[in-house]
């Protein structure tokens, strides 16, 4: 079990990015959350088996149609046991 903090930059707000992230997370059995930040980036924490988290990050790098991802920064975090599914945080 691993957890990663992810910041996605580019044209990633207003294009359904968070909703697609939640859909991918549900399919991959990933827990965590995603939210828009005031600077126009999207922030997420994703947790699950190593292979699923790597796939989730790959999908975050692609983004939904209409988005333009220009950068993805990933940092390691300690896994947590208090996530309840994958949430869109407002």
């Amino acid at each position: 079990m691993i957890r990663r903090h992810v910041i996605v930059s580019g044209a990633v707000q207003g294009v359904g990015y968070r909703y697609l992230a939640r859909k991918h997370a549900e399919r991959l059995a990933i827990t965590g959350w995603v939210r828009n930040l005031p600077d126009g980036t999207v922030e997420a924490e994703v947790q699950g088996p190593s292979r699923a988290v790597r796939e989730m990050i790959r999908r975050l790098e692609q983004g939904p149609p209409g988005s333009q991802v220009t950068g993805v920064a990933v940092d390691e975090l300690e896994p947590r046991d208090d996530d309840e599914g994958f949430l869109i945080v407002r």
Side-chain angles (χ1 to χ4, degrees):
M1 189 71 62
I2 65 171
R3 187 176 189 92
R4 297 294 181 261
H5 177 256
V6 183
I7 299 286
V8 184
S9 55
V12 292
Q13 291 189 13
V15 292
Y17 195 96
R18 295 171 298 156
Y19 299 97
L20 185 61
R22 182 175 60 190
K23 181 183 262 186
H24 288 319
E26 290 170 353
R27 289 182 178 159
L28 293 168
I30 295 287
T31 62
W33 52 266
V34 63
R35 67 179 172 188
N36 286 340
L37 293 179
D39 65 0
T41 60
V42 170
E43 178 183 35
E45 286 190 12
V46 297
Q47 179 172 301
S50 180
R51 180 176 288 183
V53 169
R54 285 194 309 269
E55 177 62 19
M56 180 68 176
I57 292 170
R58 187 188 70 76
R59 292 180 185 191
L60 292 174
E61 290 170 344
Q62 292 177 338
S67 69
Q68 266 192 322
V69 176
T70 59
V72 177
V74 180
D75 292 307
E76 293 183 19
L77 296 173
E78 289 297 317
R80 298 171 47 165
D81 61 2
D82 60 348
D83 283 333
E84 294 185 21
F86 192 86
L87 304 175
I88 295 175
V89 179
R90 300 191 192 277

